[in-house]
């Protein structure tokens, strides 16, 4: 997948772009259905399957107090979009000048002048440009003048449930990491670098890796059964997200104990996949009581994780295409 970070990189302009536009935070199953349609249409038209998104999220510029915490880091989003068989990701800067651009200029200068658009796929409520003047009706009129077609998608749902980033955030806020799989098509995960902590886990007989992450959205504080990727290996683990109330910690911490593992991994990168929530954080009257509970957590995690596979995106898996097509 080619990634364009500045519009000047589209020189000469792209040709026959089949384009969708949006933030695509979370890259959930609704987004993946949009990408699937973009890819299919691009193959039919011998064009380029193209995703246009903005960095940072427009609300972080326009109304920072209302901007959502993002489900993905930008690196994650790029990786997940690439796994959906997209040819070109235009992740272009968003600023106040872009926010004030009239929709006519946006179509002429960016969609036509840079992305060489021949077909546009957007959601039913999509709008862009100054005062959100560029709605679907406008795009259809502009397409007739500029020579591209517009396809509008109704809300993408499973049963009565509409896929949305907001719904994913709600489930994570409730600690329902298992429930997010049905929305994301994968286990929610975070990536972090192992840093030095207070070494309490080691003193309790359960050494933990303390993680520093750029992730903005975390599951509800508590204890989780997780799968952990270290390089190309996958380990079972138990993760605690929270404040270690027994020890009175004020800053939220991310600590993961890898089962049957003892190597030094400071400064290494781990990717943690959340499989099941085990329990809330608890205050224990003694360290011995805490150790007993940790043993219970480890035993339960072993049972839950035995034989379970991590659900991740795999290239070409959901595109209905053979690799190389």
């Amino acid at each position: 997948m080619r990634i364009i970070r500045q519009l000047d990189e589209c020189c000469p302009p792209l040709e026959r772009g089949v384009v969708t536009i949006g933030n695509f935070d979370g890259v959930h199953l609704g987004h993946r259905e949009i990408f699937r349609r973009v890819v299919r249409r691009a193959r039919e038209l011998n064009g380029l399957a193209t995703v246009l998104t903005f960095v940072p999220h427009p609300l972080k510029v326009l109304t920072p107090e209302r901007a959502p915490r993002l489900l993905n880091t930008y690196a994650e989003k790029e990786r997940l979009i690439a796994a959906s068989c997209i040819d070109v990701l235009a992740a272009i800067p968003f600023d106040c000048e872009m926010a004030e651009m009239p929709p006519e200029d946006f179509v002429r200068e960016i969609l036509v002048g840079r992305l060489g658009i021949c077909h546009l796929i957007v959601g039913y409520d999509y709008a862009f440009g100054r005062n959100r003047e560029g709605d679907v009706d406008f795009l259809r009129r502009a397409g007739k003048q500029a020579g591209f077609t517009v396809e509008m998608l109704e809300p993408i749902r499973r049963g009565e449930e509409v896929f949305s980033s907001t719904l994913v955030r709600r489930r994570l806020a409730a600690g329902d990491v298992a429930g997010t799989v049905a929305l994301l098509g994968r286990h929610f995960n975070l990536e972090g670098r192992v840093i030095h902590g207070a070494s309490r886990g080691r003193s309790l007989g359960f050494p933990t890796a303390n993680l520093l992450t750029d992730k903005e959205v975390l599951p509800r504080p508590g204890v989780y059964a997780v799968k952990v990727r270290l390089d190309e290996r996958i380990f079972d683990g138990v993760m605690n997200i929270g404040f270690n109330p027994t020890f009175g910690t004020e800053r939220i911490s991310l600590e993961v104990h890898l089962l049957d593992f003892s190597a030094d991994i400071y400064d290494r990168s781990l990717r943690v996949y959340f499989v099941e929530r085990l329990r809330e954080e608890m205050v224990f009257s003694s360290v011995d009581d805490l150790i007993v509970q940790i043993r219970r957590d480890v035993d339960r995690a072993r049972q839950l994780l035995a034989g379970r596979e991590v659900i991740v995106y795999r290239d070409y898996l959901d595109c209905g295409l053979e690799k190389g097509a």
Side-chain angles (χ1 to χ4, degrees), residues 203-206 223 238 257 259 278-279 284 287-303:
S203 68
L204 298 174
F206 299 91
V223 180
V238 176
H257 170 67
L259 277 56
L278 299 178
R279 61 175 174 86
F284 296 92
V287 171
D288 288 341
D289 288 345
L290 172 59
I291 292 173
V292 169
Q293 183 59 56
I294 294 175
R295 286 175 180 156
R296 290 173 181 161
D297 296 337
V298 168
D299 289 343
R300 188 173 172 212
R302 284 188 191 279
Q303 294 173 2

Side-chain angles (χ1 to χ4, degrees), residues 221-223 240-245 253 277 279-284:
V223 180
N240 183 81
I241 299 177
F243 300 92
N244 294 312
S253 64
R277 180 177 173 84
R279 61 175 174 86
E280 292 275 1
E281 274 206 308
M282 302 163 59
V283 179
F284 296 92

Side-chain angles (χ1 to χ4, degrees), residues 122-143:
V122 292
Y124 72 102
D125 60 348
Y126 180 75
F128 69 98
R130 187 178 57 201
N131 299 322
R132 294 178 59 85
E133 296 167 353
D135 58 13
V136 174
D137 288 338
F138 164 81
L139 286 167
R140 284 174 169 158
R141 294 193 301 271

Side-chain angles (χ1 to χ4, degrees), residues 10 125 134 156 207 227 240 313:
C10 298
D125 60 348
I156 298 171
K227 295 278 188 174
N240 183 81
Y313 281 173

Side-chain angles (χ1 to χ4, degrees), residues 1 39 43 46-47 82-87 314-317 319-325:
M1 182 179 74
V39 170
R43 299 300 182 264
N46 195 29
S84 293
C85 311
I86 294 299
D87 298 314
R314 293 182 175 88
D315 288 348
Y316 304 93
L317 182 63
C319 301
L321 299 171
E322 294 297 327
K323 191 167 183 176

Side-chain angles (χ1 to χ4, degrees), residues 220-233:
R220 178 187 176 94
V223 180
Y224 294 86
V226 298
K227 295 278 188 174
V228 182
R229 179 184 293 275
L230 172 62
D231 298 328
E232 298 304 314
R233 298 181 64 189

Side-chain angles (χ1 to χ4, degrees), residues 14 33 147 211 271:
L14 304 182
E33 177 60 25
L211 296 183
R271 189 177 299 165

Side-chain angles (χ1 to χ4, degrees), residues 94-313:
F94 186 88
D95 53 22
C96 292
E97 182 178 353
M98 175 70 73
E100 288 297 313
M101 178 179 284
E104 296 85 359
D105 293 352
F106 183 89
V107 169
R108 183 181 63 256
E109 297 177 15
I110 297 178
L111 295 183
V112 176
R114 299 293 186 173
L115 301 183
I117 189 170
C118 67
H119 186 68
L120 177 65
I121 299 177
V122 292
Y124 72 102
D125 60 348
Y126 180 75
F128 69 98
R130 187 178 57 201
N131 299 322
R132 294 178 59 85
E133 296 167 353
D135 58 13
V136 174
D137 288 338
F138 164 81
L139 286 167
R140 284 174 169 158
R141 294 193 301 271
K144 288 181 179 179
Q145 294 177 354
F148 64 88
T149 51
V150 176
E151 179 181 348
M152 183 190 77
L153 301 183
E154 295 298 329
I156 298 171
R157 63 180 72 230
R158 176 178 290 157
E160 296 300 315
E161 193 169 64
V162 175
F163 293 110
S164 74
S165 303
T166 298
L167 185 54
V168 176
R169 292 189 191 93
R170 287 175 183 164
R171 292 200 178 172
L172 291 172
D176 184 13
V177 294
T180 63
V181 176
L183 301 174
L184 297 173
R186 68 185 189 280
H187 284 118
F188 180 79
N189 70 82
L190 65 82
E191 194 160 347
R193 180 172 58 86
V194 180
I195 60 174
H196 289 276
S199 299
R200 291 194 191 96
R202 187 173 301 279
S203 68
L204 298 174
F206 299 91
T208 59
N210 292 265
L211 296 183
L212 180 66
T213 183
D214 292 331
K215 201 82 163 182
E216 292 185 10
V217 174
L218 300 174
R220 178 187 176 94
V223 180
Y224 294 86
V226 298
K227 295 278 188 174
V228 182
R229 179 184 293 275
L230 172 62
D231 298 328
E232 298 304 314
R233 298 181 64 189
I234 299 288
F235 297 90
D236 293 345
V238 176
M239 184 161 201
N240 183 81
I241 299 177
F243 300 92
N244 294 312
T246 300
F247 298 98
T249 304
E250 295 182 358
R251 184 174 58 86
I252 196 165
S253 64
L254 307 174
E255 300 178 64
V256 60
H257 170 67
L258 277 61
L259 277 56
D260 308 315
F261 183 85
S262 60
D264 183 349
I265 52 174
Y266 285 117
D267 286 328
R268 303 280 293 279
S269 178
L270 301 180
R271 189 177 299 165
V272 179
Y273 298 88
F274 291 86
V275 179
E276 295 277 356
R277 180 177 173 84
L278 299 178
R279 61 175 174 86
E280 292 275 1
E281 274 206 308
M282 302 163 59
V283 179
F284 296 92
S285 58
S286 70
V287 171
D288 288 341
D289 288 345
L290 172 59
I291 292 173
V292 169
Q293 183 59 56
I294 294 175
R295 286 175 180 156
R296 290 173 181 161
D297 296 337
V298 168
D299 289 343
R300 188 173 172 212
R302 284 188 191 279
Q303 294 173 2
L304 287 170
L305 298 171
R308 296 277 290 269
E309 292 188 2
V310 176
I311 303 174
V312 298
Y313 281 173

